[in-house]
Amino acid sequence: MKAILKLAGPLIAALAIAACNASGSSNMPAAGGVSQAAPSSTNSVPEWQAKHEATRACKELANGVSCHLLISRYLDQRPPCSPSTGSCGWRPVDLQTRYNLTPSLGKGSGTIVAVIELGDMPSAASDLAAYRSEFGLGTAPFKKYNEDGQQSNYPESCQDFGFCLEEDLDIEMVAASCPKCTIYMIEGGNCGGVVCGLENAESTAVTLGATILSNSWGCHTGVYGENCGDPNFPTYFDTPGIAYLASSGDDGYNEILWPAALTNVLAVGGTQLALSGSKYSETVWDGAGAGCSDVTKPSWQHDPLCSGRTISDISAQAGCEPGVAEYDSQYVGDWVNVCGTSVASPLVAGIVALAGNAASITGGKSFWRLSNKKHKRQLHVITSGSDGSCGGTYLCMAGATGKNGYKTYSGPAGWGTPNGIKAF
């Protein structure tokens, strides 16, 4: 396949596969539903890796930071794909149809969604334009800034951080769910440190007027502590009136990552979308990060098997069989099929923008407080699949019942996937 073969050149050096382990969580359910301490790392191999379904697109950087993007092997040994027919992966029309967004696609104009990145992606604007053109998404404002809010003095190449594919994916997924949204790409890295670059980018996005911030990256808590190496880390995600979103990670249960674990951040897990005839369906994606964290349990969470913050809150397409179609001219030179919860966070960020209610999004609070009736009407409840072994409980398995279940919730899929914008 043309796009995958091109990865064998300079991109491979930039996109080294990181051996990231799940980590840093506690309060795993013991027999009888009693919480107990967990080991600092599960050292488990994600299902997608064991099955050779994908490879990591990102390096692991200082303080365990990595983006949550995978390169799917779905297109291996296949003829060159056609994005318009869907053979390169899920298209905007597929995502819009499954998540019942079509009636709301005229909304979002003037709303600024910021994606937080590392390193400079020179071709971002033209790649986004090509993606929009291919799928008939029209035009909307796009601006790129460095972490200090300048449209110049950009940081070193995204290749140095392994974020190049991530950056194109993020802006394309926001456009897929909210074609009229204004998209800001904030590129960190000038401060000389990975974490400070990301932190500065968070602050700058707010200063520039973004009300929705999507983070398709995280750091592993068990090895590097619960603050990505900076005790002040949580303060960059607590501005009132700002909707912060973060992907839950790609290492399955019991992977706990920051910033997704923070109370003020909407933790976005992952599902695998499927199509049979004209009917879409979803199951838990087996790589979706989920579990029980050491973070103080929010007042709005009452699930019985975790005494800390339970992850995730909500989910969207993240699976690899297939993933979504992405266009990248500079580092792939073509269309590529990608997956991971990096897909889900910016996609959901665009849906938050369609709803026009970002100021009311405080972590997952609104989803945890929905009535059972509204859950079933305003979200797609995910009832099958798991992301690991947790004794058959809701922390890793959808559809768990009895003492192992908790309403319609599951860790990897949260309360479900969007069914229109009313839940937001």
Side-chain angles (χ1 to χ4, degrees):
M1 187 284 188
K2 182 178 177 183
I4 298 296
L5 291 177
K6 288 190 177 183
L7 292 169
L11 183 61
I12 286 295
L15 305 181
I17 301 174
C20 301
N21 294 322
S23 60
S25 53
S26 71
N27 307 315
M28 291 173 63
V34 179
S35 295
Q36 66 178 11
S40 61
S41 176
T42 65
N43 292 313
S44 60
V45 175
E47 285 292 310
W48 59 263
Q49 188 173 350
K51 296 175 182 176
H52 306 289
E53 293 175 350
T55 56
R56 296 189 191 274
C58 297
K59 303 174 181 180
E60 183 169 314
L61 304 167
N63 291 350
V65 172
S66 181
C67 74
H68 300 150
L69 177 62
L70 307 175
I71 302 166
S72 172
R73 298 191 64 185
Y74 179 75
L75 298 181
D76 286 5
Q77 311 304 320
R78 293 169 183 253
C81 67
S82 167
S84 62
T85 65
S87 62
C88 294
W90 299 116
R91 306 160 296 174
V93 66
D94 298 304
L95 302 169
Q96 293 164 1
T97 301
R98 169 57 180 174
Y99 299 134
N100 193 22
L101 304 181
T102 304
S104 304
L105 293 179
K107 301 178 183 293
S109 180
T111 300
I112 301 172
V113 180
V115 294
I116 308 303
E117 313 291 352
L118 279 172
D120 181 37
M121 182 66 174
S123 63
S126 58
D127 288 352
L128 177 59
Y131 182 86
R132 286 183 175 278
S133 177
E134 176 65 40
F135 295 120
L137 297 177
T139 60
F142 169 75
K143 294 183 180 180
K144 189 177 71 169
Y145 297 91
N146 71 8
E147 67 189 64
D148 297 316
Q150 302 169 332
Q151 291 188 287
S152 60
N153 300 316
Y154 294 113
E156 58 266 45
S157 171
C158 54
Q159 238 179 329
D160 294 347
F161 301 98
F163 262 65
C164 296
L165 283 178
E166 180 65 70
E167 298 194 23
D168 268 347
L169 172 69
D170 286 348
I171 56 179
E172 290 171 13
M173 288 302 98
V174 175
S177 57
C178 186
K180 294 187 178 297
C181 278
T182 295
I183 304 173
Y184 285 2
M185 176 182 283
I186 316 296
E187 298 180 334
N190 275 336
C191 63
V194 172
V195 174
C196 73
L198 292 165
E199 290 173 336
N200 290 348
E202 298 286 339
S203 296
T204 291
V206 174
T207 300
L208 291 172
T211 55
I212 304 165
L213 277 60
S214 177
N215 299 273
S216 291
W217 57 273
C219 54
H220 296 271
T221 61
V223 179
Y224 300 96
E226 296 180 343
N227 50 33
C228 297
D230 178 9
N232 295 318
F233 183 77
T235 65
Y236 292 90
F237 300 87
D238 65 358
T239 303
I242 302 299
Y244 295 94
L245 295 83
S247 53
S248 69
D250 302 335
D251 287 330
Y253 179 85
N254 189 29
E255 179 190 38
I256 304 299
L257 300 177
W258 284 38
L262 293 170
T263 299
N264 289 333
V265 175
L266 179 62
V268 187
T271 59
Q272 175 64 69
L273 184 61
L275 177 63
S276 178
S278 60
K279 185 177 181 180
Y280 292 92
S281 62
E282 289 170 278
T283 58
V284 163
W285 176 51
D286 56 30
C292 197
S293 78
D294 288 327
V295 176
T296 300
K297 197 167 194 67
S299 61
W300 36 265
Q301 281 191 338
H302 300 285
D303 59 303
L305 300 183
C306 178
S307 60
R309 162 97 156 97
T310 309
I311 297 169
S312 295
D313 302 312
I314 195 169
S315 58
Q317 156 62 26
C320 302
E321 294 292 305
V324 299
E326 175 187 352
Y327 181 72
D328 181 297
S329 66
Q330 187 167 358
Y331 296 96
V332 176
D334 205 339
W335 291 89
V336 63
N337 191 250
V338 297
C339 50
T341 52
S342 278
V343 175
S345 180
L347 186 66
V348 172
I351 299 173
V352 173
L354 290 180
N357 205 23
S360 69
I361 301 292
T362 302
K365 178 195 252 184
S366 58
F367 300 102
W368 285 82
R369 288 186 169 178
L370 279 177
S371 68
N372 287 338
K373 184 177 181 180
K374 287 184 177 180
H375 274 138
K376 294 176 181 179
R377 180 183 300 168
Q378 299 175 1
L379 296 171
H380 293 295
V381 176
I382 308 303
T383 60
S384 63
S386 70
D387 67 344
S389 177
C390 64
T393 74
Y394 66 86
L395 292 176
C396 74
M397 187 176 80
T401 58
K403 68 179 182 180
N404 290 331
Y406 179 64
K407 300 183 179 180
T408 56
Y409 177 85
S410 71
W415 287 104
T417 61
N419 184 12
I421 65 174
K422 288 185 178 180
F424 296 82

